[in-house]
Amino acid sequence: MSNVQIMTGNQAAAIGAKLSSVQVIAAYPITPQSQLAEILSQYIEGGELKAEYVRVEGEHSALTVCISASTVGARVFTATSANGLLYMHEQLHWAAGSRLPIVMCCVNRGVGAPWTIFNDQQDSISQRDTGWIQIYCRNNQEILDTVIQAYRIAEEVYAPVMVCYDGFVLSHTMMPVAIPDPELVKDFLPPYQAHTILSPEDPRTLNAVLFPWRRANSEGVLCDGYMEMRYKLQAALERSPAVIEETSRRFAEVFGRDHGGLSWGYRMEDAELVMTGMGSIASEAMQAADMLRDEGIKAGVVGIRVFRPFPAKTLKEAFRGAKGIVIFEKGISYGYEGALCSDLKAAFYGSENQAPAHNYIAGLGGRDVKARELADAARASWMEMQTGIVEKPTTWLNCYTG
Amino acid sequence: MPENLFKINAKEYILPGTRACQGCGLSLAYRYALKALRENTIVTLPACCLCVLHGIYPSTPVMIPALNNSFASTAASASGLVAGLQAMNRTDITVMAIAGDGGTFDMGIQALSGAAERGTDFIYVCYDNEGYMNTGTQRSSATPMGALTTTTPIATKQQHKKDFLKIMEAHDIAYLATASPSYPIDLYDKFVKAKKIKGTRYIHLYIPCPPGWAYSPKDTVKMGRLAVETGIAPLFEIENGKFRFTGRSKSMAERGNRLPVINYLEKQGRFKKMNIEQLQQVQHWVDGKWQEYQRRSQE
Amino acid sequence: MTTKKDDSISAMCTVAIGEAGKTGDWRSLRPVINHAKCIPSVKKKSACFLCWLYCPEGVVKATVPVEIDLDYCKGCGVCAEECPAKAITMVREGEDHE
Ligand SMILES: Cc1ncc(C[n+]2csc(CCOP(=O)(O)OP(=O)(O)O)c2C)c(N)n1
Ligand code: SF4
Ligand code: SF4
Ligand code: SF4
Ligand SMILES: [Mg+2]
């Protein structure tokens, strides 16, 4: 029954959007996302997908189109990469602040200047604080499945979801992918129900100015000030881990595939040295774990699937047995360390887990990073940790720092 | 009641008690724009004075559904509404994007050009009060030469106003018109007409603004009238490339009784530092535009 | 398409009169109509109504006689300027006219 095809990550994402019966698409081409925008155009012009495609003049407009179409009740989709995502920055906040369940693929790429078209995750990491849920995928099957899941999550908590996957490494690499049965997808993902809708039948104004204080409406009911409204977005994201896990569980029931809800583990049963990361670098780390295991080091991997909301509680549990933690990141918070490293260490603050954590910045702008190199780095850290080196400056892997 | 007043939709769509200034030309123009478009309309707007008029949460005085979006995004926001309504099979609804001169001439130009090039089925309205009024009367590319603004506070603006109508016309859109709240019936008629046309429609509103232009609120209608009578704000429409003067501008073109620009400029505090060369340049600039329009109206 | 009604999670404003309060309070000058001069009152029928046409606030009622909603009239004076019969006088608030 299962329909397996060999396809790229971009194709998988496009199929995910099609199966989710998106109604409005707006996208602007940028490498490595372009192919996704092209495939969706093909679906629509070829009559395979009944949706409006707005061929906008830039990414700021792409997301704006999605925002506005969503306010009249349409299910919307967009995708971008790197500078395109940065160009959307203002509207990322606008989408989340309007509480619109927009789903966007971010095909991760390094940002300029200087230019690179190749992969890292600086683009989406630097949009961390925009109120979007961020999910990182590790293979093409997960991309397809996550796009479908993303709508269910977004429409449950009314927050936008960014489905992130690595440019070229996944976007342009062929992998076998099982295509879910469209009928089952329809059951799994019922039609979009807006929380409020703009329509002449009930004329109201959305996204007005808010005062710092609360204010009564015409019936004398005290309504939110700016801060309460913002708190509700935070509350929605705080509520979302349970929704993400439930969605993942339900997806596994229906389609027989479980990509993990907030995170996943590999050879974690008795792992002492735990490697972690997001997206393809985490799946690369699985091979590294195998190599280290062959050497007799009890290595495992925790793949972090959801970066926002940060699943601190789940991760505390996942890293419980760790005696050393190695964090691989394709991005950096300049002037400090990898953002994931900071967040992870903060999650352990005050907990029993005080395992040393070493941070490696790897693969920026497509710099090659092989499983062997991850294993070497993790082993080196493991040795240092044995000799009591708990704190270590962030290491730039495979980088001639001189 | 004059016959032509009877045809105006009697319903008001803006409840009184708004935040707009006394004598706001925008309030007056918006009043007639909404009367013409009626209930089956969705409006989208950026940060600007109109956003303030639309009210502070949880209330709005405006009885037409509206979506506030970011400053640069107005026309893209309209594209989203149009696409969304199409997807929801609500093709009976008119989408109006409305932004100030700052949100149109400056930041919004990219999104507007894109939407117009795509032939998006919507009405775009630029209400032009010739400056960034909401943020405190700074210069915009719509500010005329010789005007004092808070960012041209001593030397006045050195450049002419951008000819935005030419830019919009170059997009070969379905309908283009100018209007003034001092001629509400002409304004109303143009919105009624625009509503019936398919494709991208652009309406430019010349909006007198008492605090921004430094004149007394009671003179708003007069100021708008002088803008038209001096040829600074000609009233016209362009359909299928055909230029046509309307209303007061039409009779002016026929009778040749255009007033000198000084009659208009001297009544506004913002021009008090204008020098004689600038005055001549503005007159020359207006003459040139007017002659071009006149030539086209005779084609 | 249906809605899961939750109005309060985004800034969705409902329609209300006096969003900025009773804007009549902004006034320093109040428009007073002299019905002995006002065209509709004189002719005892619908006529003129230019004050209605030009009022930026939409607070003039096109009735015979013409009425102004002083709760919300901002006192801009546009109506008095535009009245062809000079039937409207702007009177300082707090002072009686005549
Ligand atoms: C990206 C961005 N930059 C700047 C602003 C600040 N801002 C708000 S309104 C405005 C000027 C509006 O001018 P205009 O469009 O002419 O409308 P008006 O206020 O004159 O009615 C500016 C600069 C903003 N809201 N967003
Ligand atoms: S500043 Fe000018 S345009 Fe803005 S509300 Fe006041 S009068 Fe109207
Ligand atoms: S404009 Fe003057 S004359 Fe005409 S209706 Fe109003 S008050 Fe009466
Ligand atoms: S003073 Fe201004 S607001 Fe009051 S009625 Fe006259 S025009 Fe309207
Ligand atoms: Mg302006």
Side-chain angles (χ1 to χ4, degrees), chain C residues 31 55-57 59-60 68 73-79 90:
Chain C
C55 174
E57 308 305 322
V59 295
V60 179
I68 294 173
C73 159
K74 292 175 183 167
C76 64
V78 165
C79 52
M90 298 306 289

Side-chain angles (χ1 to χ4, degrees), chain A residues 14-229:
Chain A
I15 293 172
K18 184 173 76 170
L19 287 171
S20 303
S21 307
V22 297
Q23 293 162 299
V24 173
I25 298 167
Y28 189 81
I30 181 168
T31 305
Q33 163 267 30
S34 306
Q35 192 193 28
L36 173 50
E38 292 161 9
I39 298 168
L40 288 168
S41 310
Q42 237 159 42
Y43 286 160
I44 290 171
E45 291 193 3
E48 271 183 74
L49 173 63
K50 195 180 160 328
E52 296 295 310
Y53 195 120
V54 187
R55 291 154 185 91
V56 285
E57 77 300 329
E59 289 89 352
H60 193 280
S61 291
L63 188 49
T64 302
V65 164
C66 290
I67 288 168
S68 299
S70 183
T71 64
V72 292
R75 183 177 281 161
V76 300
F77 180 77
T78 185
T80 189
S81 298
N83 291 62
L85 185 68
L86 307 190
Y87 198 40
M88 282 181 180
H89 178 72
E90 181 183 32
Q91 298 307 78
L92 292 175
H93 281 284
W94 206 269
S98 314
R99 302 296 302 278
L100 298 169
I102 297 166
V103 172
M104 158 156 68
C105 283
C106 173
V107 189
N108 288 115
R109 157 182 160 178
V111 301
W115 284 119
T116 174
I117 59 162
F118 296 106
N119 166 245
D120 64 44
Q121 295 170 348
Q122 192 70 44
D123 49 2
S124 53
I125 298 285
S126 64
Q127 304 306 311
R128 182 186 70 174
D129 299 335
T130 55
W132 284 60
I133 292 169
Q134 287 194 355
I135 307 179
Y136 289 78
C137 301
R138 61 189 181 285
N139 58 50
N140 294 358
Q141 182 72 62
E142 188 177 355
I143 295 170
L144 192 160
D145 295 346
T146 302
V147 169
I148 297 167
Q149 291 177 11
Y151 280 103
R152 201 169 137 138
I153 297 161
E155 291 169 13
E156 177 60 35
V157 298
Y158 292 116
V161 178
M162 200 182 290
V163 177
C164 306
Y165 58 91
D166 292 301
F168 295 107
V169 182
L170 297 180
S171 70
H172 287 63
T173 304
M174 304 284 261
M175 295 177 188
V177 174
I179 300 172
D181 177 348
E183 288 310 311
L184 290 180
V185 176
K186 281 205 175 73
D187 286 346
F188 177 79
L189 183 65
Y192 168 37
Q193 287 190 301
H195 56 86
T196 40
I197 193 157
L198 273 182
S199 98
E201 284 75 46
D202 181 14
R204 293 181 289 171
T205 288
L206 177 60
N207 288 335
V209 181
L210 266 76
F211 278 137
W213 50 86
R214 297 193 297 157
R215 187 180 188 221
N217 67 12
S218 56
E219 272 125 48
V221 179
L222 209 50
C223 297
D224 292 344
Y226 182 84
M227 203 156 163
E228 284 79 22
M229 198 62 84

Side-chain angles (χ1 to χ4, degrees), chain C residues 23-52:
Chain C
T23 47
D25 295 349
W26 297 11
R27 239 177 9 240
S28 53
L29 298 172
R30 176 180 68 224
V32 176
I33 305 173
N34 178 352
H35 290 287
K37 285 188 182 174
C38 172
I39 298 167
S41 291
V42 171
K43 292 193 177 168
K44 296 194 171 52
K45 63 167 196 176
S46 289
C48 183
F49 292 146
L50 291 183
C51 47
W52 169 83

